[in-house]
Each structure stands twice: as C-alpha cells, then as structure tokens.
Amino acid sequence: MAKVHFRSYIHNKMILFPQRIDKDIAEDVPVHLLNALVDNLMLDNVYKLYKPSGRNPYHPQMMVKVVLYAYMNNIYSCRRMESLLKRDVHFIYLAEYEQPDFVTINRFRNRVKKKINNIFTKVVLILAAKGLISLDVEYIDGTKIESKANKYTFVWRKTVEKNRARLQEQIRTLLLQVDDVIAQDNAAKKEGVGFTADLLSEISEELDKSLESVPEPKTKEERQAVRARKKQLKELGKKRNRLQEYDQHLEIMGGRNSYSKTDSDATFMHMKEDAVRNGQTKPGYNLQIATENQFITDFALCANRTDTLTLPSFPESFNSRYNHYAKTVVAGSGYGSEENYLFMDTHDIEAYVKYNYFHKEQRPRYTPNPFCPASLHYDKEQDFHVCPMGQHMRRIGMKRSINSNGFVTYSVRFQAERCEGCPLRGSCFKARGNRIIEVNHQLQQYKQKARELLTSKEGIRHRGQRCMEPEAVFGQTEYNKAYKRFGHFGKDKVNMDFAFFAIAFNIGKMCRKTNLRELKAPMEVLLVNFRCHIGVRIGYLKPKNKFI
C-alpha cells in the first residue's frame, strides 16, 4: 500500500523573511480603497491635537483606518475593534501589526470629535471629484434615533415651572413669618416678582448676622423663639437650594420642553418603534441628513422634535461645508412652512418641498372644500374675500405669531358682514356671530409656487427619486448597518460617532458602485490630484479653505 504524503506542517514555524501582510487579501476588497483614500487625506488638523512631549502615540492615519473599517463592518464597540486587531487579517493589514487597546481607541475617537467633520467633508468632495455626486441637489429627511440615556431620567419644563412657582409662594410666605425687619421688607418688596438663589443667600446672611447680635436668651420663651428662628433659617436654606436646582434645570433645558438627566443634550421624543404602543417618549436626537445618489452629503443633530423648525439651519450647514447652497432642495411635507419657503426663495434655491395637504390634493377623487378659507375668492385690489353665498368678507385686522425659531408670521383677519339667516351657515361654520377667517397670503403664494414645481415633469422625477434617497439610507442605517441607537452621551460625542458612521457609509457605498480592480490605480492618481487641484475640479471651493 502506497504511503500518503502530507504537506509540511510545523506549528510555530519561524520565518526569516516575513511575507507581505496583504498577500492573502484579495485585490477587490474595500480595505484597499479605504487604505489608499486615508493615506492621501491631509490630516494636519488632527496632527495638531497631539503634544510633542510624552510617549509616542499611535499614528492618526492608522487609527482612522481602523475605526472607519470597523464602522464599515457594523462594528461600533472599541472592545470588538481591539479583539479584531489581533486576529483579523484586514485589521492587521491596516494597523501594520499595531495593537492599541479599547481605551486608546475610544480616547482617539473623543480626541478627534471636533475635527471629524472636516474629514467627512473631504470624503464627500472626493465623491464629487469622482463624479458620483454633483453637490447641486439635497434630498432632505429626518428620523429620531434613541440616545444612550435611560428613558426614566426625564425632566419636564411644565413640571419644573409649576413647582418653581409654588416654591416662590412658599418662600414669600416663609419670609412673612420670619419676625425680622429684613425678611419682612424683602417679602413685601418682592411681591409679584420672583426670588433668585443669590437674593435668598443675601437674606440668609443678613438674618444670620442679626441672629448673632441677639443677646443670650435667658427665659424659656426666648430660647424657643431663637430655636424657631434657626429652624426658619434652615428651611430658607433648603428652599434656596431647591430654587437653585429648578433654575439649573431651566438653564440646561434652554428652549426645549424636556431633557434627560444622564444626557442633558437629549430631548424626549416619540420614536417610530414603540413596542408597548403606549406613546411613551424616549430621550433621543432628531437626525437630519441630506443625500444624493444615496450618499450622505450632510447631516445635523437637532433637539427639535418636528422637522419643520430644522430646515433653515440645515442648508446653512451645507453652505459652510462646501461654500455654496444647493441649487435644488427636495423634502417632504414636514418641511412645508412659510419660514422654510422664504429662506429658500431668498437664497435662490429651487424648492421641491411639499406642504401638509399636497398628497390629499393629488388624489383622483379629491374635491376642495368650498368653505375652506383657501377656496374662497380673493379680490386683491379691494382686499376682500367672497363667501360661497356671495357676501363680501371685509378686513378687520391682522394676527401676529412667532414660532420657536423667532420667525414672525402675519395673518390677515376677515369677517363677514351678516351671517344670520344664511342657509349655508351650518356647513360654513358653527360659531356664534359672523364668520371670521384668518389668511396668510404670503404662505398661500409659496404653496402655489410649490404646487407648480411639484406637479411639473421635473418635480415628479424628484418626488420619485426622494423615495429612494434618504428613506433608503435610513433603512440601510437602521437595519442593514444595525445603527439604531447612539452609544455615547452628549451631543458632541454623538455627532462624532455619526460622523464616523457617515464616512464609513459613503466609502462602503463607493466600493459597491465601482469596480475595485479597475479603480485601484486610478483612485491613487485621483486622490493625489484631488489634494492639489480640488478647488479647480469641483469649482465651488475657494483657496482660503483651511480644511483641505
């Protein structure tokens, strides 16, 4: 019987000349593109974050590659990254056998949290130089992502204001009970005016000094009076501390209605995923993104629970990144407001932004309500509306309102002359007296312009494309990439975490949209040219930019 000969196998065999690390890595894998891309990015702003003294740190290029490749593979834990640096050939190849521990990786992420946005911008500009995006159109949408904070650490504005007002009355009552001229004067002087923690501290100090100047009590009644006064002073100190706590809550809250104690930047919102279906709010952030060809071109984390108030600042973020506004903005009905339309009209942005009743108007069987103020005929020259019965509704005044952003809107009020005995009164309105309507003519004009754009051939194309843009990105983010909850506390760290995710997402999408075998050599040439001639290639950037 012939003897079987096996290939040589010697465990722990020593090799005199080590082989290349990438020998067993295929040529058409994303790790090569990531490696070439980061090698040619200028990270001067990141290098400045390190001090020349002390132990030599790990190279920032290597750390950026490791973190980005981990995010590309749905790995967001620093402990997992540490483990893979010891056993995964792709991570070993990127790190060149370096093995930073999870604490070092986490410290690096926190170190670059203010500079990672610049790296994201550079990667998007590379996509534009490659021709994958044009940076002329923004498909905008938002979603709410839960924070790492505990869902039972809420602080509500209404509760704080209610308790604070009750505490103010208790303080005033307590000062009136104190048998002292100082307390009585302050209680009377501040009638109807709120107390502050500093004022209560001054009152307490003055009362302490006056108590020290009192001679030693001799009788039982005098000792009881001193004890009662000390008890009142102690109670005043407690109420001062409570007032200081309420003021601190309101200061942290700012213009919001709630916040979480463990993540003060998170706001309580209704999430899409409600397993119990009881409408419970959870701490989170309103994530706004702009996409083009399913690449993330911009993002922002907002405390507003509604998308309407987020749009004016979002195009400004795009302008600060790329030195120009997008020529076209496409968004859903949650963004249709007078403030948003006015902003885009001012900056010559073609707004394919739906308003609240747009979808209802596009239904085949839709018939407008003849009694709706928008359906009533308006005579612009003589400034009156005509009701369905032909009666003129004259102008009687104007209503002024301000939203959370400080934007002022004006609505004109019109009133019918005589609605008594009208046969259509029951269908028209049910209030007493003559009917009064409020009409925002500026908003009506913007809606008419938006309707014309949205129903045009180009508008129909943009509306169809929008369904495949941010919605698809959110679907991939939450389900394919398993990025459903932020893993950090604080807005700056959450922003850093999503910036890493967005960069990795764009690089992964770039790998899937191109042939990596054919792209490998041209990409290195493109990146070198990008560093020298990015302003000429894209045409929007100015030489004064510091982040290139």
Side-chain angles (χ1 to χ4, degrees):
M1 183 176 178
K3 184 179 179 181
V4 179
H5 294 277
F6 296 99
R7 292 172 62 93
S8 175
Y9 173 69
I10 302 174
H11 193 54
N12 293 332
K13 177 172 60 175
M14 295 185 64
I15 301 176
L16 180 60
F17 298 103
Q19 60 185 359
R20 286 176 57 91
I21 305 174
D22 60 343
K23 177 180 178 295
D24 296 324
I25 300 178
E27 295 182 359
D28 57 346
V29 291
V31 68
H32 290 300
L33 175 63
L34 172 65
N35 185 58
L37 191 148
V38 177
D39 279 343
N40 288 275
L41 285 178
M42 296 175 64
L43 302 178
D44 296 341
N45 291 336
V46 177
Y47 298 153
K48 294 177 182 178
L49 300 175
Y50 292 86
K51 297 179 180 179
S53 59
R55 181 182 176 184
N56 294 339
Y58 290 103
H59 202 286
Q61 274 191 351
M62 182 271 291
M63 299 295 291
V64 169
K65 292 177 186 178
V66 169
V67 175
L68 287 180
Y69 191 68
Y71 275 68
M72 288 172 65
N73 291 276
N74 304 1
I75 299 167
Y76 313 113
S77 167
C78 294
R79 294 180 185 270
R80 287 282 313 277
M81 297 180 198
E82 177 189 4
S83 175
L84 292 171
L85 282 167
K86 299 176 182 178
R87 59 184 177 85
D88 189 286
V89 66
H90 290 180
F91 282 89
I92 296 172
Y93 164 66
L94 292 174
E96 290 287 344
Y97 287 110
E98 296 284 1
Q99 296 180 358
D101 60 3
F102 70 94
V103 177
T104 305
I105 298 172
N106 190 48
R107 285 176 179 170
F108 172 77
R109 291 195 304 184
N110 292 330
R111 185 191 295 269
V112 301
K113 62 186 177 183
K114 294 183 179 179
K115 305 297 181 182
I116 189 63
N117 266 312
N118 292 338
I119 300 177
F120 168 78
T121 304
K122 294 176 185 179
V123 173
V124 174
L125 292 174
I126 290 174
L127 296 174
K130 185 61 182 171
L132 295 172
I133 57 176
S134 65
L135 291 179
D136 288 334
V137 60
E138 281 187 284
Y139 293 93
I140 298 176
D141 202 359
T143 189
K144 299 178 182 66
I145 298 183
E146 187 178 353
S147 169
K148 187 181 179 182
N150 191 296
K151 59 185 178 181
Y152 297 112
T153 58
F154 43 77
V155 178
W156 301 102
R157 174 180 290 277
K158 287 185 178 180
T159 303
V160 173
E161 291 177 346
K162 180 180 178 181
N163 292 338
R164 189 179 184 280
R166 185 183 302 164
L167 180 64
Q168 293 277 346
E169 293 300 322
Q170 293 175 358
I171 293 172
R172 185 170 287 105
T173 303
L174 179 62
L175 290 177
L176 290 173
Q177 293 174 356
V178 177
D179 188 15
D180 194 279
V181 177
I182 299 171
Q184 297 287 348
D185 289 346
N186 280 280
K189 181 176 63 176
K190 291 295 178 181
E191 186 70 32
V193 181
F195 293 97
T196 62
D198 294 336
L199 178 61
L200 293 181
S201 297
E202 294 175 3
I203 296 174
S204 298
E205 291 177 1
E206 292 178 0
L207 291 176
D208 284 334
K209 290 179 182 179
S210 64
L211 186 61
E212 291 175 358
S213 61
V214 175
E216 188 70 23
K218 298 179 180 180
T219 64
K220 181 178 179 182
E221 289 78 9
E222 291 178 350
R223 288 194 292 270
Q224 288 178 349
V226 170
R227 284 197 298 269
R229 191 168 179 182
K230 287 183 178 180
K231 184 177 180 181
Q232 291 172 339
L233 285 176
K234 186 177 180 180
E235 185 67 21
L236 184 63
K238 291 181 179 179
K239 294 187 182 301
R240 178 198 59 196
N241 294 337
R242 285 176 56 194
L243 180 62
Q244 192 172 4
E245 182 182 352
Y246 289 145
D247 291 340
Q248 185 178 5
H249 286 324
L250 294 175
E251 183 180 357
I252 294 174
M253 220 171 302
R256 298 177 291 166
N257 291 324
S258 63
Y259 80 93
S260 172
K261 293 179 182 177
T262 51
D263 186 359
S264 58
D265 293 329
T267 307
F268 279 79
M269 309 175 181
H270 290 284
M271 301 293 172
K272 291 182 179 179
E273 294 183 358
D274 187 7
V276 186
R277 297 183 180 180
N278 59 351
Q280 182 181 13
T281 57
K282 297 178 183 179
Y285 296 89
N286 188 355
L287 173 63
Q288 298 288 314
I289 65 168
T291 67
E292 185 182 355
N293 291 337
Q294 295 188 9
F295 288 99
I296 302 175
T297 57
D298 195 11
F299 66 91
L301 294 167
C302 306
N304 296 316
R305 293 178 291 180
T306 58
D307 295 334
T308 309
L309 301 175
T310 63
L311 188 60
S313 61
F314 196 52
E316 290 290 353
S317 172
F318 189 91
N319 181 39
S320 65
R321 289 185 188 273
Y322 311 115
N323 285 347
H324 79 289
Y325 292 100
K327 296 179 181 178
T328 303
V329 169
V330 186
S333 58
Y335 299 88
S337 68
E338 182 183 356
E339 179 184 11
N340 298 340
Y341 287 131
L342 176 61
F343 177 87
M344 289 180 281
D345 186 45
T346 305
H347 294 89
D348 296 326
I349 300 174
E350 203 166 30
Y352 295 91
V353 179
K354 303 173 186 175
Y355 47 89
N356 48 2
Y357 287 105
F358 176 76
H359 282 293
K360 188 176 181 180
E361 293 175 357
Q362 302 307 308
R363 294 176 183 174
R365 298 182 180 178
Y366 170 75
T367 54
N369 184 2
F371 302 102
C372 178
S375 302
L376 302 181
H377 173 71
Y378 176 63
D379 190 322
K380 188 175 182 180
E381 294 181 358
Q382 301 185 24
D383 195 15
F384 65 83
H385 281 268
V386 181
C387 77
M389 284 296 294
Q391 183 180 179
H392 290 187
M393 305 181 72
R394 301 295 179 181
R395 177 171 179 166
I396 60 172
M398 184 173 289
K399 179 182 178 182
R400 180 176 178 269
S401 58
I402 305 175
N403 65 7
S404 301
N405 288 344
F407 181 78
V408 182
T409 59
Y410 296 93
S411 300
V412 183
R413 305 178 79 237
F414 296 88
Q415 185 177 25
E417 296 177 355
R418 185 166 179 264
C419 294
E420 184 181 356
C422 178
L424 301 178
R425 181 187 177 96
S427 302
C428 186
F429 78 112
K430 297 181 180 179
R432 294 181 180 179
N434 298 327
R435 185 184 181 187
I436 298 176
I437 61 173
E438 296 177 358
V439 182
N440 187 337
H441 292 117
Q442 183 72 19
L443 181 58
Q444 294 294 341
Q445 293 177 7
Y446 283 134
K447 285 184 177 181
Q448 177 63 28
K449 183 179 178 180
R451 188 183 302 112
E452 294 173 358
L453 287 173
L454 290 166
T455 54
S456 65
K457 185 176 180 180
E458 189 69 12
I460 294 173
R461 185 184 69 83
H462 281 305
R463 283 160 51 194
Q465 183 70 17
R466 182 185 168 273
C467 301
M468 299 180 289
E469 284 287 343
E471 296 292 347
V473 172
F474 283 138
Q476 294 177 44
T477 299
E478 297 182 3
Y479 297 99
N480 296 349
K481 307 295 288 184
Y483 195 86
K484 297 184 177 181
R485 188 184 186 194
F486 292 121
H488 298 266
F489 295 110
K491 186 176 180 180
D492 54 347
K493 292 185 179 180
V494 171
N495 187 81
M496 170 271 298
D497 187 55
F498 189 80
F500 271 113
F501 174 84
I503 296 170
F505 183 90
N506 285 343
I507 296 175
K509 180 70 69 174
M510 184 180 183
C511 295
R512 290 188 292 274
K513 289 202 172 211
T514 54
N515 188 336
L516 294 180
R517 288 182 181 272
E518 299 176 357
L519 182 68
K520 186 176 180 182
M523 173 56 68
E524 296 178 358
V525 176
L526 173 64
L527 290 170
V528 173
N529 293 335
F530 167 78
R531 297 174 62 183
C532 302
H533 308 290
I534 182 62
V536 178
R537 281 180 171 270
I538 298 181
Y540 297 123
L541 300 182
K542 300 177 182 179
K544 65 179 182 180
N545 284 326
K546 302 293 184 182
F547 58 83
I548 301 289

